[in-house]
Amino acid sequence: MPFNIGPTELILILIIVLVIFGAGKLVGVGRALGQSIREFKSAVQGDTESKPEVMASKEKSEANQAEPQQDGARS
């Protein structure tokens, strides 16, 4: 097996990554990685239409298109 990594090697790799990037940058990288994984999963599953925030924004834009634009001044 080409990637036979045990717990000792994994800990060593994580320590080296921590030293190279620093703790602050590592948190941002982890957050960005987690967000991109979530977006990828939702795109693969095709459930972006069922998310509440997506549905609310679609309903709001449809409501804005259905209502005629009015100005504040009347003649």
Side-chain angles (χ1 to χ4, degrees), residues 40-57:
F40 179 75
K41 278 184 179 180
S42 67
V44 168
Q45 293 174 352
D47 64 352
T48 56
E49 296 295 324
S50 65
K51 287 188 176 179
E53 60 270 5
V54 173
M55 293 298 286
S57 67

Side-chain angles (χ1 to χ4, degrees), residues 71-75:
D71 4 303
R74 292 187 180 188
S75 314

Side-chain angles (χ1 to χ4, degrees), residues 18-71:
L18 183 64
V19 167
I20 291 174
F21 290 112
K25 194 119 180 169
L26 201 58
V27 170
V29 169
R31 185 176 297 129
L33 182 65
Q35 184 178 9
S36 57
I37 289 172
R38 278 191 302 270
E39 289 175 3
F40 179 75
K41 278 184 179 180
S42 67
V44 168
Q45 293 174 352
D47 64 352
T48 56
E49 296 295 324
S50 65
K51 287 188 176 179
E53 60 270 5
V54 173
M55 293 298 286
S57 67
K58 283 181 110 177
E59 290 172 359
K60 188 176 181 181
S61 66
E62 288 173 358
N64 287 340
Q65 290 175 355
E67 294 176 5
Q69 302 248 342
Q70 300 175 358
D71 4 303

